[in-house]
Amino acid sequence: MNSGAGRVLIMRHGEAAPGFPDPVRALTPRGEQEAGVMARWLAARIEQGELPLPALYASPYVRAQQTAQRLSDALDCPLQTLEFITPEDALSEVSDWLLAQPDGASVMLISHMPLVGSLAGLLVEGAPSQGIGFPTAAIAELEADVWAAGCAQLTRFTQPSQLL
């Protein structure tokens, strides 16, 4: 990674139960397991020096908060809530926020489809329509010097089934 480059990890929440209203849907036992597996995997990589400790940001929705709490506990770092990373939020607000982060920052966003796929598509391909399909609890790792459309590189994509 070059010196000025930042890193963004984009994670979809673990499997959630169906229900209404959408913001209060909780993780299923499988979703809890997925979040735990990914949290332990990230913690091991950070401990080995392979990955810098990211600042954690989650959607206010219950399933994203539950997923993020697993990461927060495993990484022993605080969790912050971003109100504008719910499923249907505007990508422009998220990309503006990313552009405002300090150079070289490492951040992790725990959010939902379609936002996670569209955001990854926008940053890597330059267009949200080229979005990436995210299984539950999958993590896309991106690097960029500037968080503008088409300027990021997808360096790794990992889903729980690869680790179980």
Side-chain angles (χ1 to χ4, degrees):
M1 184 164 114
N2 51 19
S3 59
R7 186 184 301 255
V8 171
L9 286 78
I10 302 172
M11 180 179 192
R12 182 181 179 194
H13 60 79
E15 181 184 85
F20 186 83
D22 190 44
V24 301
R25 289 174 46 212
L27 293 180
T28 61
R30 177 190 162 115
E32 292 276 0
Q33 179 195 24
E34 290 173 340
V37 163
M38 298 306 279
R40 288 188 295 278
W41 173 72
L42 278 178
R45 291 179 61 210
I46 290 164
E47 201 173 295
Q48 294 161 3
E50 185 187 326
L51 197 64
L53 181 67
L56 293 182
Y57 299 93
S59 151
Y61 286 19
V62 170
R63 59 195 181 275
Q65 289 284 320
Q66 289 175 313
T67 301
Q69 192 57 58
R70 287 294 186 96
L71 296 169
S72 175
D73 293 347
L75 305 180
D76 193 27
C77 70
L79 167 62
Q80 299 169 71
T81 299
L82 285 183
E83 299 296 329
F84 53 85
I85 59 170
T86 64
E88 307 297 337
D89 278 324
L91 284 181
S92 59
E93 195 167 355
V94 185
S95 58
D96 288 351
W97 180 85
L98 283 172
L99 282 169
Q101 299 307 299
D103 284 353
S106 180
V107 302
M108 182 163 190
L109 303 176
I110 299 98
S111 184
H112 315 263
M113 282 298 277
L115 186 119
V116 291
S118 298
L119 180 61
L122 176 70
L123 294 172
V124 175
E125 304 293 338
S129 59
Q130 300 298 310
I132 296 171
F134 270 76
T136 52
I139 298 174
E141 297 177 41
L142 280 58
E143 285 181 7
D145 290 321
V146 60
W147 294 107
C151 292
Q153 190 173 13
L154 178 66
T155 57
R156 189 169 191 163
F157 188 87
T158 309
Q159 58 196 53
S161 61
Q162 295 170 270
L163 304 176
L164 291 171

